[in-house]
Amino acid sequence: MASWIDLFSLFATISVLGSIVYAIIFVVKSVNQGVNATKESLKSRGLDVSASGVSVKTSRRFDREDYVDATQRGFVKALNASSIRKGDGTTTPVPLAREHSTSSVASSDGSKKKKKGAFGGRK
């Protein structure tokens, strides 16, 4: 026959395991509720999140002409921002003077040094 200590140990073990299972179920339910609330708030903004991906709800349809117009506007903005047409001859470009650094002057004296390899050894 089992003593009262054995019965108490059984009851304590079942209680601990039951509380662990309850805590896991509670956490999973709360995470699922948070995900569902987030999906609903995104759905009210026009984004529908599902297992297959995200779909965006727009208020109107775009046809080919709308896409072509948007592309042309982008090209015109890029052309206006570039300096291709800005040199119309009214201003003369200033040539840049080339200055030699001390390392390039020192290495251009004709003497060749052996370079080290990738791991510090000589090639």
Side-chain angles (χ1 to χ4, degrees):
M1 178 110 190
S3 67
W4 64 276
I5 294 177
D6 292 335
L7 292 175
F8 179 74
S9 298
L10 177 66
F11 179 71
T13 304
I14 290 174
S15 298
V16 168
L17 291 177
S19 61
I20 290 173
V21 169
Y22 178 75
I24 291 172
I25 290 172
F26 179 76
V27 167
V28 168
K29 281 187 179 181
S30 64
V31 168
N32 283 339
Q33 287 175 349
V35 167
N36 288 336
T38 304
K39 282 184 181 180
E40 289 300 320
S41 68
L42 289 174
K43 195 173 220 177
S44 67
R45 293 183 189 176
L47 294 172
D48 187 21
V49 181
S50 66
S52 62
V54 178
S55 63
V56 179
K57 183 179 82 174
T58 58
S59 59
R60 65 181 184 128
R61 289 256 194 231
F62 290 107
D63 57 354
R64 185 178 189 284
E65 189 170 333
D66 293 325
Y67 288 117
V68 170
D69 288 342
T71 304
Q72 287 175 351
R73 279 193 304 273
F75 279 123
V76 169
K77 285 181 183 179
L79 184 64
N80 289 336
S82 69
S83 62
I84 294 172
R85 297 188 313 169
K86 303 235 188 313
D88 57 356
T90 58
T91 61
T92 58
V94 177
L96 297 175
R98 179 179 167 105
E99 295 180 11
H100 296 288
S101 66
T102 57
S103 62
S104 65
V105 171
S107 65
S108 65
D109 63 355
S111 63
K112 292 186 178 180
K113 295 181 182 178
K114 288 189 175 183
K115 294 185 179 182
K116 291 185 178 181
F119 297 107
R122 300 271 181 196
K123 284 187 175 179

